[in-house]
Amino acid sequence: MSRQTPSPAAFFDDKNRAFWMLQGAGWTGYLLLRIASGIANGLGLAFLIQVLVSAATGYSMTLVMAAVYRWLIRKSPLIIWTGSLGTVVIAVGAYSTIDAWVYTMVNEGRNVIEVDLFLGSAVLNALLLGAWSALYYSINFFLIAERQTLQLLKLEATASSAQLAMLRYQLNPHFLFNTLNSISTLVLLKQNDRANAMLGRLSSFLRYTLVNEPEAQVTIEQEVETLKLYLDIEKMRFEERLQSRFDIDPRVTKARLPSLLLQPLVENAIKYAVSTQEEGAEIAVSARLSGERVQIVVSDTGPGLNDAAVRPSYSTGVGITNIRDRLTQAYGPGHRFDSGNSPQGGFAVTIEIPMVVEVQQLEAA
């Protein structure tokens, strides 16, 4: 069974516990290092007493410094620097005074503080407390920066979700208007049974679109089923003039993409290929694995872009613009979107996206 190594962020989830653990470990290490050094140099019990008192003093001194730094860290940079420097100077003075006094008491039995001992101790203590202060601020500024980064990522994710939602909601009235217009046409032609059947299929389609979150992702298998439901609605209007074909590689059926991403492509194919030709057209949807990416192609057997009057504003329609924006929001530069005449005739749109099978954000029902 593999073990997961705790991350630095996890260790500092409880800042109070982390501080006491690091404080204890640091000063214990300092004490053991000084004791080992004294033993190696043949120093006796008097040195051990000095080291114990020095470690206890440093431990207590840094607790006071930590309380001051916690207050200073919320201030402006100028106050932080000047306040911290003053705190270190005062702490070094007090620490060195205690060290010099303990040395003369233990070794000479005199209650005095010699200047040379004070200055020698001050150099060592300045390095020690300076390093402790630098470590304290480094850890705290790291945690502040990490917290701000997480907040920024959450804000970006919220903004991205809002943008995706807006783009998805843009499709609903666009599609609904076209479908209701088709139903209205059937009613005017007194084809009430067909209009009623189309309303039933529209109800099923809208139930799917409304029950899911607008920024949800679906599998390609779910997206294809939705396209088939949509095509069933349109076939009520075009009958044999609308033919559809699906060629889906089983390896990509579980790959995920934004929901209703392909519906505008099929809608445009119906508008510019099927409805403009008396014989209609075939719409083909294929998806296959291309390396570590999924390639999706939506093509038709319509007139393509050869006749400017047939498809004059394909690249500027709301559906295509919507798809480009949704792909940019979902994948950034990690996607490809190409459109143009197909070598076999007609028009084709090719989309390449990363092969992702894990649930991303919200999963559609």
Side-chain angles (χ1 to χ4, degrees), residues 144-154:
I144 291 173
E146 185 177 65
R147 184 168 60 250
Q148 291 175 342
T149 300
L150 290 175
Q151 290 174 347
L152 179 60
L153 290 174
K154 288 180 180 179

Side-chain angles (χ1 to χ4, degrees), residues 164-290:
L164 287 172
M166 182 194 72
L167 293 171
R168 252 293 306 274
Y169 284 134
Q170 185 184 43
L171 290 180
N172 291 340
H174 180 65
F175 158 74
L176 187 59
F177 172 80
N178 290 341
T179 305
L180 290 177
N181 186 56
S182 299
I183 295 174
S184 175
T185 301
L186 292 176
V187 171
L188 289 174
L189 295 175
K190 301 187 182 301
Q191 299 181 17
N192 296 333
D193 291 341
R194 295 177 62 196
N196 184 60
M198 183 178 284
L199 278 172
R201 288 175 171 83
L202 175 62
S203 175
S204 299
F205 186 83
L206 290 180
R207 186 180 300 113
Y208 171 85
T209 61
L210 296 176
V211 76
N212 289 318
E213 296 290 342
E215 67 268 36
Q217 290 191 343
V218 298
T219 64
I220 289 181
E221 183 178 24
Q222 289 174 304
E223 184 77 352
V224 167
E225 291 303 316
T226 307
L227 288 179
K228 290 179 179 178
L229 182 59
Y230 170 71
L231 286 169
D232 283 344
I233 296 173
E234 293 294 354
K235 283 181 179 179
M236 295 294 298
R237 172 186 172 193
F238 292 99
E239 298 183 327
E240 297 302 320
R241 294 174 60 201
L242 172 58
Q243 301 296 321
S244 61
R245 176 169 54 86
F246 291 88
D247 181 15
I248 309 299
D249 188 337
R251 295 176 296 177
V252 302
T253 55
K254 301 304 179 183
R256 296 187 174 274
L257 73 169
S259 65
L260 291 182
L261 182 72
L262 305 181
Q263 187 268 339
L265 297 178
V266 174
E267 185 175 350
N268 273 282
I270 292 174
K271 180 178 180 181
Y272 294 108
V274 178
S275 63
T276 58
Q277 300 185 117
E278 185 177 351
E279 70 276 14
E282 180 185 70
I283 299 174
V285 179
S286 66
R288 65 183 184 88
L289 190 63
S290 177

Side-chain angles (χ1 to χ4, degrees), residues 338-352:
D338 294 325
S339 61
N341 288 334
S342 172
Q344 293 77 28
F347 193 83
V349 174
T350 301
I351 297 173
E352 278 194 7

Side-chain angles (χ1 to χ4, degrees), residues 64 92 111 202 255 310 347:
V64 177
V92 168
N111 189 18
L202 175 62
V310 174
F347 193 83

Side-chain angles (χ1 to χ4, degrees), residues 31-79:
L31 175 62
L32 295 177
L33 184 63
R34 291 288 302 274
I35 291 175
S37 176
I39 294 175
N41 288 281
L43 300 178
L45 181 62
F47 176 78
L48 178 61
I49 295 175
Q50 297 172 52
V51 170
L52 288 173
V53 173
S54 179
T57 302
Y59 183 89
S60 303
M61 198 72 65
T62 50
L63 291 181
V64 177
M65 293 172 65
V68 175
Y69 290 166
R70 278 196 294 272
W71 179 81
L72 287 174
I73 204 169
R74 299 182 180 89
K75 307 299 179 181
S76 65
L78 179 61
I79 296 177

Side-chain angles (χ1 to χ4, degrees), residues 8-19:
F11 176 77
F12 288 106
D13 281 344
D14 188 340
K15 289 182 62 177
N16 188 56
R17 181 197 62 186
F19 172 81

